[in-house]
Amino acid sequence: MIPHISSRPRRTLALATALGAALVFGAPAAFAGTDPVSPAPSAPAAMAKSAAPASQSATWAAGTRAYLVITAPGDSTAVRNAVTANGGTVFANYDAIGVIVAHSASGSFAATMRGVSGVQQVGATRTSDVPADAYNPALPANPAQSSTPAGEPVRVDMTQIKADQAWAVTTGSPTVKVGILDTGVDDQHQDLAPNFNAADSASCAYGKADTRTGSWRDVGTHGTHVAGTVAAAKNGKGVIGVAPGVKISSVRIAEPGSSLFFAENTVCGFMWAGDHGFKVTNNSYYTDPWQFNCPDNADQAAIIEGVKRAQEYAESKGSLQVAAAGNSNLDLANKTTDTESPNDSTPVTRTITNACLDIPTELPGVVTVSAMGTTAKASYSNYGLNVVDVTAPGGDATGIHSTLPGGKYGSMSGTSMASPHVAGVAALLASTNPGITPAQLRDKLATQANDVACPSDSRCKGTTAKNGFFGEGQVDALKAVGSTPPPGKYFENAADVAIGDNTTVESAVTVSGVTGNAPAALKVGVNIVHTYVGDLKVDLVAPDGSVYTVHNRAGGSTDNINQTYTVNASSEVANGTWKLRVNDNAGGDTGRIDSWNLTF
């Protein structure tokens, strides 16, 4: 299997096809989805703060290890003082969940701290030293960007889950934020920049938030590839993501060099997700260095507890976590052996049981995703009855084509590639169901999935409705948006048009090949990003100049219009140039026509 992708992001099998870049088999350490083909303090206060990490390199020493110190949520002052008194330093602190990230070069630190009053658990998160870079992190490179000729053919994986049909209903709402917890994201990429949300992006490498500009950028390729599958823009270039109208933020949890995702990094990532309003996060990795964390081991028990608390915190703030099942072709419902851990030093073979968890994918509340090829389970995908929730395309022989750093594109395969398809569908569900809770999102992901029966393979347990290979079935983006595509021909203009104060702007669509007049129920899909939509009047202008008002300064101080209107245009000849005219009637708020469409 490819390095697991958690640090090898669910180990993305690098399939290698890419406008100039060939990926290798094996994502960094813990990728959960990259397989053989490729791999309560108030909101922000709950995050460890570090807008620009202070240099503490003088305090680093060989032998420095990282620990999770678990205590009761609330004021941890006494326990933090004990950390310092017993040969450690507090690197990050999450009082909202009772988790302290401590560093120490003392071999007796964990044993000593376990005897301190108020300490519930202590666990080393690594079998290797904390890098000196943790105290003064270098910013990832900002790669030069390649340009790509116009054209974005619909990918096979998108038609497989009917995303291309769902776009005729909605491309997703820009108010829905999806967090890419991964190796980072190239925010300058031509297909990602239109949907990238820098304000809510950061690095969580080493276990505390670094909000310096660019800290979130990719230290590999995996995260950028995943981000494109979720929400590459529908802009006439490259590829289109499952939910090309939503916003994505990068929370880099992989460390440079190793590309490993340690527990403190994951804790930081989930806390950030909760505090920054992410509706969905994608987690195509497993928490290094243990492929499976066993509760009878004191270190691993603390890892389980710390990451679980952080996930529960994120969910309590409205965030659903979606995670890759892994690329080892293992039955997660029948665990016997782990041969890949620890992956930050020397792996050993150890006997394990089902009590040992692949995290975050096996934590309660997390949606676990297996990978399909076109019709069958992908050869590398982990599986397991009552472990796998849903399935999605992950690529097998050909891989999944998506974005790569530097404006490039390429193919990878793995459960790492399947998970972002599900995260994208969850984002569409959240777009069409404002206010939906994580629990309701989980339920809807299950009910919209299409059943996939077990093949004649004795490893696949369960029924057609729910089994170990495919869970509740393959996600269906069209069913997720609660509709079938409107009948008739579809025309769209996805080019942005800026809307200034007290101005009138237009965006045109040329209709051809439609016989006769427009229908009495012409569908007009409008996606306008603009604060205070009560400023706006929106008209459909027919080819002969007739004006049909669809929005007239309604909505007051609410932001954005993402709606499909029905217009009786039966008196208008269908073929010709139709326009969407937007009039801004006040000062102080601006925006853009993001896209609009007509369905005859």
Side-chain angles (χ1 to χ4, degrees):
M1 122 176 196
I2 287 234
H4 68 275
I5 283 197
S6 144
S7 186
R8 301 230 188 224
R10 245 359 177 174
R11 279 125 208 241
T12 227
L13 307 166
L15 219 203
T17 46
L19 275 182
L23 303 188
V24 293
F25 257 2
F31 292 147
T34 297
D35 204 57
V37 180
S38 146
S42 58
M47 289 294 308
K49 299 172 183 158
S50 82
S55 174
Q56 303 174 39
S57 55
T59 68
W60 182 87
T64 298
R65 297 292 170 89
Y67 300 84
L68 294 186
V69 179
I70 311 294
T71 185
D75 185 358
S76 63
T77 301
V79 174
R80 283 185 277 123
N81 289 340
V83 167
T84 303
N86 287 288
T89 58
V90 174
F91 186 75
N93 178 44
Y94 302 97
D95 273 355
I97 60 171
V99 174
I100 298 165
V101 180
H103 288 177
S104 179
S106 168
S108 61
F109 177 78
T112 302
M113 285 300 299
R114 287 173 187 138
V116 170
S117 175
V119 172
Q120 298 171 357
Q121 297 182 63
V122 179
T125 64
R126 307 163 185 248
T127 62
S128 58
D129 289 359
V130 174
D133 183 67
Y135 298 107
N136 190 21
L139 288 173
N142 185 11
Q145 298 294 317
S146 301
S147 60
T148 297
E152 50 183 0
V154 176
R155 297 162 14 186
V156 172
D157 53 306
M158 294 297 163
T159 60
Q160 186 171 327
I161 64 169
K162 301 179 185 174
D164 57 328
Q165 297 180 58
W167 300 329
V169 179
T170 181
T171 56
S173 170
T175 63
V176 171
K177 294 190 283 190
V178 179
I180 310 298
L181 277 58
D182 214 290
T183 61
V185 173
D186 179 5
D187 56 307
Q188 306 296 309
H189 194 292
Q190 60 193 349
D191 242 353
L192 300 177
N195 291 333
F196 192 81
N197 173 18
D200 293 307
S201 295
S203 168
C204 272
Y206 309 117
K208 66 179 174 183
D210 176 357
T211 59
R212 292 175 297 164
T213 299
S215 64
W216 55 73
R217 292 192 178 123
D218 211 330
V219 294
T221 58
H222 191 268
T224 299
H225 193 278
V226 164
T229 296
V230 174
K234 197 170 186 288
N235 57 0
K237 302 174 184 177
V239 298
I240 311 172
V242 176
V246 306
K247 294 301 181 185
I248 50 174
S249 296
S250 171
V251 184
R252 177 169 65 86
I253 57 174
E255 297 181 6
S258 68
S259 285
L260 293 174
F261 300 59
F262 291 102
E264 61 268 33
N265 310 2
T266 306
V267 168
C268 174
F270 285 157
M271 297 299 289
W272 183 273
D275 287 336
H276 288 261
F278 295 173
K279 197 64 185 176
V280 181
T281 70
N282 186 81
N283 303 270
S284 290
Y285 62 91
Y286 67 73
T287 301
D288 299 292
W290 306 99
Q291 183 178 21
F292 299 100
N293 288 272
C294 299
D296 60 354
N297 176 286
D299 291 329
Q300 293 163 40
I303 290 172
I304 293 171
E305 181 65 18
V307 177
K308 179 174 75 71
R309 288 189 186 187
Q311 192 290 124
E312 290 171 345
Y313 178 86
E315 183 167 341
S316 75
K317 296 289 187 177
S319 179
L320 176 71
Q321 279 54 255
V322 176
N327 302 320
S328 298
N329 194 23
L330 294 176
D331 184 354
L332 298 179
N334 185 29
K335 302 184 184 88
T336 57
T337 306
D338 175 13
T339 63
E340 299 182 25
S341 305
N343 64 6
D344 66 335
S345 54
T346 302
V348 298
T349 297
R350 58 182 183 146
T351 299
I352 62 172
T353 69
N354 286 347
C356 301
L357 301 179
D358 180 344
I359 61 175
T361 197
E362 287 193 276
L363 290 176
V366 175
V367 175
T368 303
V369 183
S370 69
M372 293 185 70
T374 304
T375 59
K377 181 183 88 69
S379 58
Y380 49 80
S381 180
N382 287 352
Y383 56 96
L385 183 61
N386 297 320
V387 178
V388 169
D389 293 304
V390 290
T391 193
D396 210 334
T398 57
I400 301 297
H401 196 66
S402 188
T403 47
L404 294 177
K408 297 182 174 65
Y409 299 85
S411 293
M412 298 185 195
S413 293
T415 56
S416 278
M417 283 62 255
S419 182
H421 287 87
V422 177
V425 170
L428 290 177
L429 281 167
S431 298
T432 54
N433 296 273
I436 193 170
T437 67
Q440 291 167 335
L441 264 181
R442 279 195 300 272
D443 289 344
K444 282 188 175 289
L445 279 171
T447 57
Q448 59 75 46
N450 294 315
D451 292 343
V452 182
C454 281
S456 48
D457 186 328
S458 61
R459 298 175 302 163
C460 186
K461 311 295 184 185
T463 65
T464 297
K466 184 177 182 181
N467 57 64
F469 276 15
F470 311 113
E472 299 280 355
Q474 180 174 249
V475 292
D476 186 320
L478 182 58
K479 287 168 65 177
V481 298
S483 178
T484 57
K489 293 194 173 183
Y490 177 80
F491 303 87
E492 181 181 39
N493 188 336
D496 289 353
V497 178
I499 305 169
D501 283 330
N502 294 297
T503 61
T504 299
V505 298
E506 293 181 339
S507 177
V509 164
T510 299
V511 174
S512 61
V514 179
T515 303
N517 285 6
L522 176 65
K523 301 298 182 184
V524 185
V526 177
N527 184 359
I528 293 175
V529 178
H530 191 288
T531 52
Y532 210 99
V533 297
D535 289 357
L536 302 180
K537 182 173 182 286
V538 182
D539 299 316
L540 175 69
V541 183
D544 68 356
S546 299
V547 176
Y548 299 85
T549 299
V550 296
H551 173 93
N552 193 1
R553 305 192 69 174
S557 62
T558 58
D559 295 344
N560 307 325
I561 299 172
N562 189 8
Q563 187 170 340
T564 299
Y565 301 95
T566 301
V567 171
N568 183 352
S570 57
S571 63
E572 306 292 342
V573 174
N575 291 335
T577 300
W578 296 74
K579 297 177 182 178
L580 191 74
R581 177 181 296 162
V582 180
N583 172 233
D584 183 293
N585 293 277
D589 292 275
T590 61
R592 68 180 186 275
I593 302 174
D594 193 66
S595 64
W596 74 285
N597 59 73
L598 293 172
T599 305
F600 288 80

